[in-house]
Amino acid sequence: MPPKTCSTILLRNGLLATYSKGDDPLSVPATRRVDVLIEDDRIVDVAEPNSLKLPQYYFVIDCSNKWIAPGFVDTHRHVWMSVVNDQEDWTLSEYLCKLSWTTAALVTAEDVYLGQLAGCLQAIHGGTTTVVDHFHCANSVDHIEQAIRATDESGLRSMFCIARQSLPTSIDPLEFDDDEEVSKMQMDTIVRLSSRDKGRLTADGRVTLGMAYDVQGINSAEDTRIVSLVRSLGVRPITAHYVGGPQAPAYSKKVRAWSEAGLLKDDVIFSHGSGLMHKRCDPDEWKLLKDAGASIASTPEDELGMGHGNPVAYEAVRRGVKAGLGIDSASITSAEMFPAMRFALQWERGRMHEALAKDDQAARYNSLTAASAFRLATLGGAEVAGRSSDIGSIEAGKLADIVLYNAESINLAHCHDPFKGIVFHATAADVEWVIINGEIVKREGNLVRKNWEEVADALRRSIRAVQERVAQYDLDERYAAAMKFKRDRAEDGVEASD
Ligand SMILES: [Zn+2]
């Protein structure tokens, strides 16, 4: 039985699949057999197979039947949402009314702890080693602290972005009576946490502090004050939703608004970014993003189903804008990044085939490869998170965030190309080992830090308790009231906010 932790790990003779710094995002890197040496939290050597001299104290993993790949970097996930459910058939408008404006207010700090813990473990199980966590259940200081505690306990690397947000006290009309008080609580907490070892929320630096800021328009002095303040404290990234599809309550030209407020910088991540392809889009927004070095976090699986607008990850790559992928929420779609890669790639291929078909043309080849989706989910995500010097690829000097796939599994044994195998055929069941920060957190298919059965038991109890509290409300009645409010505002010439 291998030790729980070991300061030196040798991955022996595995087939390496990784992008490296400087590779063209649309190229396909060569795969090769290697030894990978890990000391403490870092990769210290990537060498010819069976070439490394064994150090004195080490733990060796025979990788002759494994693929060695970087862990996934999920650039947009609401991790706590594993404690809510039944959202798979919702549209985005339903989600806003039933989850954001109702259920989220009924979730206790203990529920958040369990949802967050389960959500982090689900991520690790599927080979995700880093998340940009948009934490939009910041109802109290305790909610925030419990989410951080769960993240720390799980072993996942997280850029924990506390939302400056408010919960409505009324649906029709939509009102946020206590916004000033809530804002003070959230901002005081962000300021206090940012002073904790320069925003390192855990001693090993695995969990760091970011902010989520979904205030519409971002054109008030207060918006500027808040964003400038957190930036001055070294809090990053700053992430905001930006949608623009059929279900989007409004098209907001959010990139332009941030730019005109002087707030668009390379630490800003817009999730979805579908406003960039809206029928009333402002094409200059792409250039504003590129010039500022700001990024897109695309979550294609739920964007397509809920009506956020269509996925823009590849359009961003084409335009030289940094782009990554995410799952958004495990209560809506799969907790794994594999479907996110497939949806992003196949949607884009479909879009290209459709464009050609309009002119009675057909493609002879697919110009986008499976490997390009793998890049979006690994090094591309690291670039979005502003961490590409540390994570996202297997290179000497980087943090050891590594996934070992069982290349002889039922899903993968027929594949000889790990990029194609990982993107099109793998599931969490094929993720055999996960190493984060040099620590083995999934070993031979099993989570190391927590007993999943115990977590699942407590999680189910919490889910039931949340459902009982939500049952006091008629969600469809509230949804109808919210839609009426939106219609009335539109008739008055006022665009509702997202
Ligand atoms: Zn989201």
Side-chain angles (χ1 to χ4, degrees), residues 76-78 81 92 95 134 136 214 240-241 243 271-272 299 302 308 327-329 332:
H76 183 66
R77 188 183 290 228
H78 307 286
M81 285 179 67
L92 178 59
Y95 168 89
H134 184 134
H136 62 352
D214 273 337
H241 287 105
V243 292
S271 46
H272 314 305
T299 66
D302 71 332
H308 292 63
I327 67 119
D328 213 352
S329 166
I332 300 169

Side-chain angles (χ1 to χ4, degrees), residues 301-434:
E301 190 175 5
D302 71 332
E303 288 164 1
L304 285 165
M306 296 176 81
H308 292 63
N310 292 328
V312 305
Y314 277 98
E315 189 66 29
V317 171
R318 220 171 272 126
R319 290 171 180 265
V321 172
K322 290 182 292 185
L325 300 177
I327 67 119
D328 213 352
S329 166
S331 58
I332 300 169
T333 62
S334 167
E336 302 174 8
M337 288 284 276
F338 304 105
M341 293 189 288
R342 286 169 210 152
F343 273 90
L345 178 58
Q346 301 294 57
W347 158 256
E348 193 64 17
R349 284 174 170 173
R351 195 164 79 97
M352 292 162 77
H353 293 311
E354 188 181 29
L356 287 170
K358 277 188 183 143
D359 296 327
D360 293 322
Q361 303 287 314
R364 283 187 69 188
Y365 305 101
N366 270 320
S367 56
L368 295 174
T369 62
S372 67
F374 175 92
R375 190 190 187 283
L376 280 171
T378 54
L379 190 55
E383 288 165 355
V384 167
R387 296 290 300 273
S388 58
S389 60
D390 263 344
I391 56 174
S393 63
I394 308 283
E395 294 176 89
K398 285 203 165 182
L399 290 166
D401 289 4
I402 298 173
V403 175
L404 305 179
Y405 293 85
N406 176 5
E408 293 179 350
S409 73
I410 295 171
N411 289 331
L412 303 182
H414 67 296
C415 304
H416 71 277
D417 177 336
F419 291 116
K420 290 175 182 153
I422 291 167
V423 171
F424 277 103
H425 306 290
T427 69
D430 308 297
V431 172
E432 202 174 36
W433 297 72
V434 179

Side-chain angles (χ1 to χ4, degrees), residues 71-79 128-135 157 159 161 211-212 237-241 267-272 295-300 303 313 322-329 337 340 375-387 391:
F72 297 122
V73 179
D74 184 322
T75 55
H76 183 66
R77 188 183 290 228
H78 307 286
V79 177
T128 296
T129 50
T130 297
V131 291
V132 176
D133 185 358
H134 184 134
F135 181 65
R157 188 180 304 287
M159 309 174 83
C161 301
M211 184 176 74
I238 300 168
T239 187
H241 287 105
D267 55 3
V268 176
I269 304 171
F270 289 107
S271 46
H272 314 305
S295 310
I296 296 296
S298 182
T299 66
E303 288 164 1
K322 290 182 292 185
L325 300 177
I327 67 119
D328 213 352
S329 166
M337 288 284 276
R375 190 190 187 283
L376 280 171
T378 54
L379 190 55
E383 288 165 355
V384 167
R387 296 290 300 273
I391 56 174

Side-chain angles (χ1 to χ4, degrees), residues 117 120-121 124 129 149-158 204 206-207 435-437 439 441 449:
L117 182 60
C120 288
L121 296 176
I124 291 170
T129 50
R149 177 166 79 92
T151 310
D152 185 18
E153 288 179 9
S154 75
L156 184 64
R157 188 180 304 287
S158 170
D204 60 6
R206 239 184 271 208
V207 186
I435 298 169
I436 301 178
N437 221 40
E439 177 190 341
V441 289
R449 282 197 177 198

